[in-house]
Structures are given as structure tokens and as C-alpha cells.
Amino acid sequence: MQLTQDQIKQDPPQDWRRYFTFCTDHKVIGVQYMVTSFTLYLVGGFLAMLIRAELWTPDPDFFPDSQVYNGVFTVHATIMIFLWLIPMLAGFANFLIPLMIGARDMAFPRLNALAFWLIPPGAILLLSSFFVGAPAAGWTSYPPLSLMDGTAGQAIWLASVILLGTSSIMGALNFITTIWEMRIPSMDIWRMPLFIWAMFATSIITLLATPVLTGALVLLTFDLLAKTTFFNPIGGGDPVIYQHMFWFYSHPAVYIMVLPGFGMISEILPVFSRKPIFGYRAIAVSSMTIAILGFIVWAHHMFTSGTPEWLRIFFMITSMIIAVPTGIKVFSWVATIWGGKLRFTSAMLFALGFLSVFLVGGLSGIMLASVPFDIHVHDTYFVVAHLHYVLFGGSVFAVYAGIYYWFPKITGRMLNETWGKIHFVLTFVGFNLCFFPMHRLGLMGMPRRVAAYDASFTDLNVLIGIGGFLLGVSTLPFLANAVYSWIGGPKAPANPWEALTLEWTTPSPPPVENWDVLPVLTVGPYDYGHEGRDPQEIIRS
Amino acid sequence: MVANTGEAGAVAVHHMDHEHPDLRLFGFLLFLISEGMLFVGLFVAYLAFRAVATQWPPAGTPKLEFLIPAANTVILISSSFVIHRAEGAIKNGDVQGVRRWFGITALMGAVFLAGQAYEYFGLIFKEGLTLWSGLYGGTFYVLTGFHGFHVLVGLLLMLGVMYRSFKEDHYTAEKHFGVEAASVYWHFVDGVWVVLFLLLYVIR
Ligand code: HEM
Ligand SMILES: [Cu+2]
């Protein structure tokens, strides 16, 4: 349907101001998500550097007391998970899903805008907790610790996370409906781009797992504010039940954070290798398999919580089985670039960086899945190393790859490639310098979540600190590049990378409602290198 | 600055509505699935609390009323049949019928809530069972209270639909998402109650 002249006049201002309105265009919402969450990433990163400053020396000397330290790492982790990764990926999903499936908008545009507008209050709530005593029980907020603190910050943390969870459920509902119901008629499920598959699997996880977390947090809120005793052993409650409910969400949630990244990598590698993706169906199906298996491994986070032996063995085996579909993906990606005509753009570099560091995270994950090893390193820096290799390596590298890849589509401008490469090198070096030594530190026995440590760990901590600050600095060239290019970068053509997915068939940036005439599929999303499969062909048809 | 209340979006939705008349129902069902998971989480937590307790119901816990919740169960289950007639009515374009069946359903829902309030009253003031009476009282009030809240929301939905039905041609034989949503929601609330009733009152 074409817009009438009248409707166009009623449209919001078509300049930067619309980003501050309750706009229902999925592209505007996508950018709102991305810019907001990136800002929060900077905040969370700043807190991380405060943590490293504290850990520079063995003594707890940087912060006034350990309560503040606990508050800082709690808010750092909460931001990184609930306010950076999850909303950032939701931003990509918002921008890309309709464009990749040939729809004019999301199924429920207003719900979509509402889901975004719950994020800023959630962020403000969380950050304001610093003024009333920051939550200090870690992002897992285990009772009874989270009930004993007595500051108002914990209650604010609960309100914030419940709010953010609601927002992501709304988003997921929209994504599933859009993907399921609104693809152009010529796109059957086996022609959906892999990012769409990944978002579909992710959204199912969000829809099913997040409410359980909400339930746990509501019970915890009752315990905290109304002094009930669901999770408080002092009143006959059981804190381990909280852990079960929490991880029933939070293990699947790690896939909420990595599956979209997997999807983006699956888009980027074939484009810059000029080869069809290897094992399209295997990758698509493995996303769904991971989503399903993800629900039955949660207690591998609870090997030391008094879980009975037979149960631990069950969770150990299922956790290791999950490595199989993940391995299938990694294998397919390597096979995709194998023998391809590689173009080392910044997006490709980050995608390759993703591959290498995610591999390390996956391997340490398999190590952690074995009960005896996990008991040995539980709550040490080995776990911190693992989770950052998967979360930073698996998600942040993918997000950066995605930004370099889709920036022209989103903004209509090209990013500077040289600065992109400098950014990549700094990030890659800083990242490995920061997190790799943590494996060693953990094996040596340094516990996580403490401000003071034994003097024998000093050297490694200084090294980690240097890596950490380098990582912090590495965001600066990116920021400068992004801001400068968005304002004054060279204008982007519709399809700068000669990709075959549908979002590249509309101008950059895409107009309201995305296409004048909806595109028709003539090639699969990854038919690179076939005779006569010219990307322009789909644009013309 | 004008707030964009979704002109472009509204056009888009309009556009899509033609192609997929059941889009909104699909979304609404997904919403109910996630609501269902919230209840499933709480139910399983309840069973877990029960399993870790040394004795269930704990010594000294008052016996729960059985008659009122049983009557309430009957009322809710029959109300599901009543509201079903409203769906049938609207498919024939009979808005009057929707109002009638929704009215009766809402009344039954109100009776349910009154019964629950009466039960609470007795338990709290006569038997001394409160939210703070350990895991037993805590889970009992959280689960039933949370369900009761959903009943209330269902009532409001029905009243909202009845109110809107007075607008000319708001609901027709072809276009009646509000009616359908309210009644699907009601079936859902009803189903949850049946599980709740079995868990809390039957296998205690
Ligand atoms: C190969 C697949 C994986 C396996 C087998 C695995 C296994 C484990 C295990 C057993 C732990 C528990 C460590 C402990 O508490 O002592 C753990 C911790 C963790 N994992 Fe994974 N993991 C895998 C992939 C991932 C992915 C993809 C992510 C996220 C993107 C992730 C995020 C985390 C986080 C955040 C923790 C820390 C939990 C805490 O704070 O206690 N894992 N992992
Ligand atoms: Cu896990």
C-alpha cells in the first residue's frame, strides 16, 4: 500500500528528532535500541575499569569499602547483560527482521515502541541505586545474601530487572509473530536468512524462560519487602529453589545473548568469502536444537549447591551434548571461509575474531561442564574468564562485526575502514590480554567477587588491568569513527558489499515502509559464486 | 514537537491486517504462552517448596476450606461455556448476544472473586493463616492471589469489550479481535485455576 500525501504530511519530523519520539517505525526503534544500549555499554565499561583499578594492587584501597566494590561489579554485570547485550541484539533484530523478510514493519509497531521505551526507565532505575546503596549481591542476586543487605538498592535492582524482562518478552512476541506471519510469499522457511532463524530461536527462548525469572524475582521481592520467607532459610524457606528458577532462565539467557550473534556471523562470513554458507540447514536446525537443549542444562551452574550426585551427572552430560550443535556451527563457519575469496573488511575481521575467541570460550565451557573440574574452579577467575570469552568474545565481537556490516544500511553512510581496522586490533589485543590470564589466575585459586587478594596474584592482575584499560581505550577510535562517519562519511550505495539478502535491495537508509514495491526472491540468501547470480538481479526484479 | 503516535505504523498495520487477519490473535496466544510459563514457574516452585518441607501441610496449619473453592471451580468451568456462546454470537454478527454472554460471564467471575475474598477473610481472621505463615501461607496467597488478579483483569477486559460494543459497528461478524481475545484469556484463566485447584486443594 502506498502512503497518501496526507499520511506523509502527518509523519514525524524526518530528521534526528524522531529518535526522541514514540516512533513506531521499526528502523527508528532499532536505532533507538542500539544507541541507548551502546551508551550503557560505555557506562558498564567505565565501571569495569573501576573494578580493574581496585584490583591493581592486592589491598582494597581504591574504593571506600567493599560494599561499594560489590555494588560496582553487580551493576557492571547487570548493565552488560540486561542493558547492553540483550537490548543491543534486540536493536539489530528490530532493524533487520522486517528488512530481511520483506515486510514493511513489525507485526505490532506500537508494542514495539513500548518495549523500547521501557529500557530507559530500567536503566535510570538501576543506576540510581548507587545513591541509595547499590545492590551488592551480584547479578545473580542469590538469597539469602540479597536479603541481608538492607539497602534500598536491592529493591531497585529487582524492579529494574523485572521491567527489562517485560520489555524483552514484548520484543520477542513481536519478533516471532513477524517472522512467522509476515514473510513475503516467496520466502519459505528454508529460504530464511540465518539471522532470522537465530532470532526466531532466540525469541522462543525469551518467551518461555523470562517469565520464570520474573516469577523468581517477584518471590524475592516479597521476601525482601514484605518479609516473607520463600527463599530465606531463617523462616524455613529454601534459597536453592531460587537458584533453580534463576538458572532456568539464565542458562537459556546465555543463548539469548549469543544466538543472534551466531546469526550475524552466518550472514557476514559468506558475503566476504564470496561463497555459499556451508551447511545452511545444519546451522538453522542447530539454532533450534540449542534453544531446546538450553532448557535442560541449567543446574550445571549449581554443581556446588548441594545438588545430588545423579542430578549432577545428568546435567554434566546434557551440558556436553549442547557442545555438539555449537560445534556444528563452528565447523560450518570454518568450512564457509575455507578456500573462499576473503575480503578483510572490518566486519570480516571482527567475524574472524569472533570465531577464534568463541572457540576458547566454548572449550572452557566444556571443561566447566565436567563436575570435578567445576568443583575445583567454581567461583574462581576461571569462570570469569570463561564467561567473558563467551559473552564478550561470542557476543561483543559479533555485535561489532554486525555494526561494521550494517552501518551503511542503517545510516546511509560508510564507516572508515582504516579506523575500523585499528579498532579491531586494539580490541583483539586488549581482550585477550585482559581475559586470557584469568584462566591461569583461576587455576591458581584466585576467587571472584573480592576486592582484596593474595599478593602472589599481583603480577597477573596488573597484566589483566593493562588489558582492561586497553580494551576501554579501544572503544574510542570506534566512537569517533561512528560519530564522524554518521555525520560526514561518504554516502553508502544500496548494496556496498554485494550481498544477496533482501535488506540490500532497498536504498540506504531505507525509506519509511522499506520498499516502494515489495521485492521478490529470485535467489537464496547465500547463492554466491553461481553463474548469473548477480546481486543486482534481485534489485531489479 | 509532535509525538508520533504511529501514523506510518498504523498504515503498516492496516496494510498487514488485510493479508493476515489473525495476526493479532497469534500475538495474543504467544502472550498467553509466556503468561503460562510464569504460572508454570510458580507451580513448580510450589511443588519444590513442598518437597523440601519436612511436613506438608506443616503442623498446626488450618484446614483449607474445600466447599467454596470447589464451588468456585464449578462456576469458572461453566463460565467458560458461557463465554463460548459469546464467540458464537459475534460470528453471527450478534453484538447484543456478546453483551448478554459477557455480562453473565463477568457476573460469574465476580462471584468467584467474592468467594475467594470470603475464603481469605475466614482464613486470615478466623484461622490466622497469613502470607507470613511460612511457606504454606506464603505460597497459598501468592498463587491464589496472583490468579485472582488475573480473574480481575479478565473482568476488566470483558467490561471494556462491552463498553466498546456500543460504538457503531465496532465489532462485526468479521472483525472482533477484542471479543476473541477476552474469551481466549478467560479460557486461559480458567485452565490455570483448574491446575491450581488440583495442586492446592485436592492433593494437599
Ligand atoms: C559450550 C557450551 C557451554 C558450556 C558447556 C558452559 C558451561 C558452563 C558452566 C558449567 C558454568 C558454571 C561455572 C561455575 O558456576 O562454576 C558456566 C558459567 C557461565 N557461563 Fe557457560 N557454558 C557454555 C556456554 C556459554 C555461553 C554461550 C555463554 C554466554 C554467552 C555462557 C555464559 C556463562 C556465564 C555468564 C557463566 C557465569 C555464571 C556465574 O556468574 O556464576 N556459557 N558455563
Ligand atoms: Cu549455563
Side-chain angles (χ1 to χ4, degrees):
Chain A
M1 184 201 218
Q2 290 288 330
L3 288 173
T4 63
Q5 212 48 43
D6 242 20
Q7 283 161 331
I8 290 170
K9 273 203 212 91
Q10 286 170 6
D11 267 356
Q14 284 295 317
D15 54 22
W16 58 271
R17 277 176 306 175
R18 73 196 144 134
Y19 292 108
F20 295 89
T21 63
F22 192 82
C23 182
T24 54
D25 182 343
H26 72 97
K27 297 180 290 299
V28 174
I29 295 172
V31 174
Q32 286 174 326
Y33 265 109
M34 290 184 196
V35 173
T36 310
S37 54
F38 198 87
T39 312
L40 286 155
Y41 175 50
L42 297 179
V43 177
F46 176 72
L47 294 177
M49 292 203 276
L50 292 185
I51 297 173
R52 282 333 303 181
E54 168 64 76
L55 296 175
W56 193 269
T57 61
D59 304 318
D61 44 12
F62 185 80
F63 290 118
D65 57 38
S66 59
Q67 169 80 20
V68 180
Y69 179 78
N70 296 348
V72 170
F73 77 66
T74 300
V75 176
H76 156 76
T78 311
I79 289 184
M80 289 310 199
I81 289 175
F82 295 109
L83 285 165
W84 149 243
L85 280 178
I86 295 179
M88 185 63 174
L89 296 163
F92 274 102
N94 264 300
F95 193 93
L96 292 173
I97 289 176
L99 284 170
M100 281 184 148
I101 63 172
R104 297 196 181 273
D105 204 331
M106 283 286 174
F108 311 111
R110 295 227 234 146
L111 183 72
N112 206 16
L114 184 60
F116 166 74
W117 281 107
L118 291 183
I119 305 259
I124 291 167
L125 266 181
L126 183 66
L127 289 172
S128 69
S129 70
F130 273 112
F131 299 102
V132 293
W139 74 278
T140 49
S141 202
Y142 278 2
L145 182 61
S146 51
L147 298 173
M148 292 182 343
D149 184 19
T151 60
Q154 192 63 43
I156 295 187
W157 182 90
L158 285 163
S160 164
V161 176
I162 291 175
L163 197 66
L164 296 171
T166 309
S167 155
S168 66
I169 292 176
M170 290 170 155
L173 198 155
N174 226 332
F175 301 156
I176 297 178
T177 313
T178 309
I179 294 172
W180 195 249
E181 297 274 349
M182 292 171 49
R183 277 170 282 130
I184 46 172
S186 46
M187 186 181 283
D188 64 38
I189 59 167
W190 297 117
R191 289 182 115 188
M192 294 198 309
L194 287 166
F195 179 72
I196 301 296
W197 271 104
M199 276 321 301
F200 191 68
T202 307
S203 305
I204 289 177
I205 301 176
T206 308
L207 195 77
L208 297 181
T210 316
V212 177
L213 175 72
T214 309
L217 296 181
V218 166
L219 292 181
L220 194 63
T221 311
F222 269 104
D223 276 3
L224 188 72
L225 298 181
K227 301 288 174 236
T228 53
T229 58
F230 296 112
F231 301 132
N232 196 341
I234 293 167
D238 186 0
V240 177
I241 292 177
Y242 174 86
Q243 294 190 14
H244 279 291
M245 294 178 85
F246 179 85
W247 286 114
F248 182 80
Y249 164 78
S250 284
H251 182 80
V254 304
Y255 300 106
I256 296 177
M257 290 174 259
V258 295
L259 278 178
F262 289 178
M264 298 199 257
I265 295 302
S266 307
E267 299 299 331
I268 293 167
L269 291 179
V271 173
F272 294 113
S273 313
R274 307 313 299 166
K275 270 183 66 190
I277 187 111
F278 183 91
Y280 167 84
R281 285 199 186 200
I283 297 183
V285 171
S286 74
S287 290
M288 298 305 290
T289 319
I290 289 175
I292 296 162
L293 286 178
F295 279 107
I296 54 166
V297 301
W298 75 90
H300 63 207
H301 299 270
M302 299 167 61
F303 286 157
T304 59
S305 305
T307 324
E309 197 61 49
W310 62 273
L311 212 59
R312 291 199 284 189
I313 292 181
F314 169 79
F315 282 108
M316 165 164 131
I317 293 170
T318 49
S319 301
M320 290 184 176
I321 290 176
I322 260 205
V324 175
T326 315
I328 288 178
K329 281 190 196 285
V330 174
F331 175 76
S332 303
W333 290 324
V334 173
T336 301
I337 49 180
W338 196 266
K341 281 193 242 120
L342 304 196
R343 275 188 283 167
F344 292 100
T345 57
S346 308
M348 183 66 167
L349 287 177
F350 270 102
L352 295 174
F354 158 90
L355 263 186
S356 63
V357 290
F358 184 75
L359 201 61
V360 177
L363 292 177
S364 62
I366 297 175
M367 293 166 78
L368 282 170
S370 57
V371 178
F373 184 81
D374 180 68
I375 291 174
H376 182 65
V377 298
H378 185 78
D379 268 343
T380 69
Y381 265 82
F382 191 90
V383 173
V384 183
H386 159 70
L387 77 91
H388 285 89
Y389 263 87
V390 278
L391 286 178
F392 197 111
S395 309
V396 183
F397 274 77
V399 163
Y400 274 135
I403 293 178
Y404 281 101
Y405 181 58
W406 280 293
F407 190 89
K409 184 51 64 186
I410 296 171
T411 64
R413 307 275 184 170
M414 301 300 291
L415 274 172
N416 182 297
E417 279 292 324
T418 312
W419 282 104
K421 280 166 194 160
I422 294 172
H423 173 217
F424 170 73
V425 172
L426 288 177
T427 310
F428 193 78
V429 173
F431 171 81
N432 285 298
L433 202 59
C434 181
F435 295 113
F436 201 79
M438 286 186 185
H439 291 110
R440 172 109 192 94
L441 213 46
L443 291 173
M444 285 161 70
M446 175 161 163
R448 67 198 274 206
R449 295 183 177 176
V450 286
Y453 54 84
D454 189 88
S456 62
F457 302 136
T458 314
D459 293 348
L460 277 175
N461 270 298
V462 169
L463 189 66
I464 291 171
I466 294 172
F469 291 118
L470 188 62
L471 202 50
V473 170
S474 76
T475 50
L476 298 180
F478 169 73
L479 260 185
N481 190 359
V483 172
Y484 178 83
S485 301
W486 201 333
I487 299 170
K491 286 247 188 312
N495 191 357
W497 317 120
E498 300 175 319
L500 294 180
T501 38
L502 287 180
E503 75 270 28
W504 303 103
T505 61
T506 181
S508 310
V512 175
E513 299 232 313
N514 301 345
W515 289 273
D516 287 343
V517 181
L518 283 180
V520 178
L521 279 188
T522 54
V523 291
Y526 309 106
D527 288 347
Y528 296 100
H530 294 298
E531 204 59 44
R533 291 291 161 88
D534 169 9
Q536 293 304 320
E537 188 185 328
I538 28 176
I539 299 177
R540 274 185 262 110
S541 57
Chain B
M1 175 170 22
V2 220
N4 173 15
T5 47
E7 294 317 321
V11 174
V13 168
H14 185 70
H15 167 87
M16 287 143 192
D17 265 0
H18 286 292
E19 286 175 338
H20 311 270
D22 49 9
L23 199 60
R24 284 192 291 178
L25 201 60
F26 187 90
F28 194 72
L29 289 177
L30 291 179
F31 164 72
L32 287 184
I33 289 177
S34 83
E35 279 263 276
M37 281 307 288
L38 186 53
F39 278 107
V40 168
L42 292 176
F43 289 162
V44 175
Y46 167 79
L47 289 174
F49 284 130
R50 221 180 132 137
V52 296
T54 38
Q55 192 191 0
W56 198 271
T61 312
K63 243 180 96 64
L64 288 182
E65 183 71 60
F66 188 77
L67 219 57
I68 296 179
N72 262 347
T73 310
V74 174
I75 293 177
L76 266 197
I77 293 183
S78 14
S79 74
S80 249
F81 289 99
V82 176
I83 204 166
H84 190 70
R85 313 257 339 226
E87 291 176 64
I90 195 63
K91 281 180 188 139
N92 295 323
D94 174 12
V95 180
Q96 188 64 41
V98 171
R99 285 199 281 269
R100 178 173 348 111
W101 300 119
F102 266 30
I104 298 177
T105 314
L107 206 67
M108 294 169 99
V111 171
F112 175 93
L113 284 180
Q116 197 173 37
Y118 180 81
E119 186 196 7
Y120 274 19
F121 190 82
L123 284 174
I124 295 171
F125 295 105
K126 297 215 188 74
E127 313 275 7
L129 183 76
T130 66
L131 184 61
W132 295 273
S133 314
L135 291 180
Y136 191 79
T139 47
F140 175 78
Y141 285 107
V142 166
L143 285 175
T144 53
F146 196 54
H147 176 266
F149 172 73
H150 277 75
V151 174
L152 190 68
V153 171
L155 286 187
L156 295 177
L157 275 178
M158 277 182 255
L159 295 180
V161 169
M162 284 159 77
Y163 175 76
R164 286 191 167 184
S165 73
F166 285 102
K167 278 200 232 162
E168 195 63 41
D169 275 347
H170 195 81
Y171 298 111
T172 62
E174 293 77 37
K175 186 171 91 38
H176 48 257
F177 169 68
V179 179
E180 233 166 343
S183 67
V184 171
Y185 185 79
W186 195 255
H187 294 313
F188 169 76
V189 170
D190 192 7
V192 169
W193 173 258
V194 173
V195 180
L196 200 58
F197 179 70
L198 290 177
L199 278 182
L200 290 183
Y201 297 92
V202 178
I203 53 154
R204 44 189 156 165

